Amino acid sequence: MNAGLNTDAMTAPTQGPEQQPMTADEVTAFLSRLVTPVQETQELPLFEALGRVLAADVMSPLDVPPHDNSAMDGYAFAGSQLAAGAALELQVVGTALAGKAWQGASGPVKPGQCVKIMTGAVMPAGLDTVVPQEFTKPCQGQGSDCITIAADTLRLGDNRRLRGEDLAKGRPALRKGELLTPARLGLAASLGLKTLSTFRPLRVAYFSTGDEILSLGEPPREGAVYDSNRYTVFGLLSRLGCQVIDLGVVRDDPALLEAAFRTAATQADAIITSGGVSVGEADHTRTMMKKLGDVAFWRIAMRPGRPMAAGRISSKKSTESASGAGTTDSFSYEKESTGDGAVLFGLPGNPVAVMVTFLAFVRPALLRMMGASVLPAPLLRARSLEAIRKKPGRTEYQRAWVSTAADGSLNVKTTGSQGSGVLRSMAEANGLMVLHHGQGDVAAGDEVDVMMFDGAI
Ligand code: AMP
Ligand code: MG
């Protein structure tokens, strides 16, 4: 069964061409109800699990660290000998190396004695405090086997790491839904785990539409542009760890479009298309989406990225039986299609609009389908270095460069022309300035919200 479809969501708001535009928040809420996480899991060796999503909580099978040990290179001793205002002299009776427990030839360490100890070495029995090497001096008039600790430099328990301090046996070390980051892989390894239970990766098919779109290798021609969307979408999906199915550029021909949608719906959990979703599009993309699925077409109150379609494409639904589906914006769910087909994200054609709608809507929805319980990255506040005109009533995403000011706060300025087709503005940006729905003009020096690209782009 293909993942990603929440049938309960199918009663969600639909929108006809004459209705009010959807807000960005409404689109996000709709998509979060539309998609559901994959169910199939895979047990993977750690080296193959990077970027995957954990399918089960991981309980620690042992204490980490497994024994009390030293956090410093220094001397271990019994901290009860420390007295306020008094220096302490200790005889060095041996050396505890990392990797093996120290055993004194003449029994346990006695009061007045200490053991030289390396970072990570097991604390010898009865000792609970470590004085770092640099806090000690040789004792006056004695050989190298005696150290002095100046008064009031340490407290009992200093520089000792306790058994189970990082993770106690039987406690959850990692949670279902967490993305496996480098740190989490390391944590799993520290528990001695060789494999982890992960959700299978998502399969995402994508293609570009439009008769004016050239594939790489084709000679330039009047009125045509090279397909950039497939490359940005490929990159964005790969960053998410999705398995990509590239269906190329699909000509504006009903048979070719139908074949592409059917292939995609059979093979993939999600389909991403670009182009052909605006109201009044002359091409067949929109018509075919309506015929093959339950798809809502929106005008979103945002810039860039106004037109967008979302819903489900069936691999089986016959074009003949879908009477009337091509002429309305209806969005009805058909029960017999459960489990078949894929979630559709029909993105606008403009290259920047593709990236912005992907980041704003598709990426969070795909993460949810991947089984990831990630919270949206917090927006940062930065001082705009320029005045920006902004109409209340739509969300605007300005391509931006965020930098650190001399006082350590953040500055932000836009990157060149903000036209929704100007990919250069995206290529030169390290984040997006997010000007919210109700917000008006920004004056130079005003603080605005910014979304950093981080690892997403
Ligand atoms: P559409 O949404 O189909 O009306 O396309 C809007 C604009 O985006 C038009 O100028 C298209 O030429 C351009 N466009 C559509 N698809 C692509 C693509 N795959 N690569 C580059 N530009 C595109
Ligand atoms: Mg078009």
Side-chain angles (χ1 to χ4, degrees):
M1 174 177 149
N2 279 337
L5 194 74
N6 180 359
T7 55
D8 297 337
M10 295 303 174
T11 51
T14 74
Q15 188 193 36
E18 61 294 323
Q19 284 171 273
Q20 280 286 93
M22 297 270 276
T23 65
D25 285 348
E26 284 167 345
V27 172
T28 299
F30 173 81
L31 291 176
S32 73
R33 292 195 307 271
L34 176 71
V35 301
T36 51
V38 292
Q39 296 301 321
E40 299 94 317
T41 62
Q42 292 174 334
E43 193 73 23
L44 288 182
L46 295 197
F47 280 134
E48 290 168 33
L50 181 67
R52 294 296 193 90
V53 178
L54 260 187
D57 288 354
V58 173
M59 300 299 171
S60 180
L62 39 86
D63 283 324
V64 178
H67 37 66
D68 293 1
N69 69 94
S70 174
M72 304 288 276
D73 287 345
Y75 299 88
F77 63 101
S80 55
Q81 300 168 93
L82 292 164
L88 181 64
E89 286 199 352
L90 298 166
Q91 293 294 322
V92 184
V93 295
T95 302
L97 300 169
K100 44 185 170 229
W102 180 80
Q103 282 303 211
S106 51
V109 182
K110 299 182 186 72
Q113 296 183 335
C114 67
V115 173
K116 192 169 181 193
I117 194 161
M118 303 300 151
T119 305
V122 180
M123 292 293 283
L127 307 189
D128 52 20
T129 306
V130 174
V131 56
Q133 176 89 48
E134 58 272 26
F135 284 18
T136 65
K137 286 199 178 111
C139 301
Q140 207 93 54
Q142 296 205 38
S144 62
D145 287 352
C146 179
I147 57 157
T148 302
I149 305 169
D152 304 318
T153 47
L154 285 181
R155 283 167 313 179
L156 187 148
D158 277 357
N159 306 309
R160 166 198 51 170
R161 293 190 288 227
L162 289 171
R163 170 187 180 142
E165 171 179 296
D166 294 350
L167 280 172
K169 186 174 172 176
R171 304 284 302 165
L174 294 167
R175 293 289 191 180
K176 177 181 176 178
E178 285 182 342
L179 271 175
L180 287 166
T181 57
R184 291 176 180 145
L185 285 186
L187 182 62
S190 76
L191 302 178
L193 300 173
K194 288 162 93 173
T195 62
L196 288 169
S197 173
T198 65
F199 288 117
R200 73 155 170 82
L202 284 190
R203 292 182 285 264
V204 185
Y206 57 90
F207 57 91
S208 298
T209 68
D211 269 354
E212 79 284 24
I213 308 303
L214 293 172
S215 289
L216 298 186
E218 284 190 77
R221 63 167 194 271
E222 177 92 32
V225 292
Y226 280 111
D227 176 16
S228 53
N229 291 341
R230 262 165 65 227
Y231 298 86
T232 47
V233 168
F234 156 80
L236 290 162
L237 290 172
S238 300
R239 283 272 199 263
L240 266 181
C242 296
Q243 287 179 355
V244 296
I245 303 169
D246 177 18
L247 297 177
V249 178
V250 180
R251 296 270 154 262
D252 187 28
D253 171 313
L256 295 178
L257 282 165
E258 181 170 350
F261 276 118
R262 288 201 189 279
T263 304
T266 311
Q267 297 182 0
D269 302 300
I271 307 169
I272 297 175
T273 62
S274 70
V277 290
S278 350
V279 179
E281 261 300 318
D283 67 30
H284 296 284
T285 307
R286 210 175 140 93
T287 312
M288 197 52 67
M289 286 178 182
K290 290 177 185 173
K291 283 187 173 171
L292 297 179
D294 294 316
V295 179
F297 294 86
W298 296 317
R299 284 178 305 131
I300 307 173
M302 68 184 280
R303 203 165 91 163
R306 215 162 82 103
M308 188 177 154
R312 178 179 50 78
I313 295 287
S314 161
S315 61
K316 297 202 186 95
K317 187 171 170 182
S318 118
T319 51
E320 284 76 49
S321 70
S323 58
T327 56
T328 72
D329 278 312
S330 69
F331 190 64
S332 63
Y333 172 66
E334 290 172 26
K335 277 214 146 37
E336 59 271 25
S337 312
T338 310
D340 161 63
V343 173
L344 170 75
F345 302 99
L347 305 186
N350 270 313
V352 178
V354 165
M355 298 194 77
V356 169
T357 48
F358 186 99
L359 290 175
F361 306 124
V362 181
R363 191 170 187 274
L366 291 178
L367 280 164
R368 190 169 144 72
M369 290 171 74
M370 288 161 63
S373 48
V374 287
L375 295 169
L379 297 175
L380 305 179
R381 296 290 283 172
R383 195 181 312 107
S384 177
L385 296 177
E386 68 208 305
I388 298 167
R389 295 184 57 190
K390 157 79 171 62
K391 271 198 242 157
R394 67 182 183 209
T395 306
E396 287 192 16
Y397 298 87
Q398 304 260 337
R399 279 70 75 202
W401 185 259
V402 181
S403 58
T404 310
D407 67 357
S409 65
L410 297 178
N411 284 338
V412 61
K413 63 178 181 2
T414 58
T415 54
S417 163
Q418 297 290 303
S420 64
V422 185
L423 205 46
R424 193 162 78 110
S425 65
M426 203 72 186
E428 289 176 355
N430 62 0
L432 292 172
M433 200 186 284
V434 184
L435 304 178
H436 297 281
H437 192 84
Q439 207 169 336
D441 289 344
V442 174
D446 280 358
E447 284 212 325
V448 293
D449 276 346
V450 292
M451 174 201 289
M452 297 305 293
F453 289 153
D454 199 12
I457 285 188

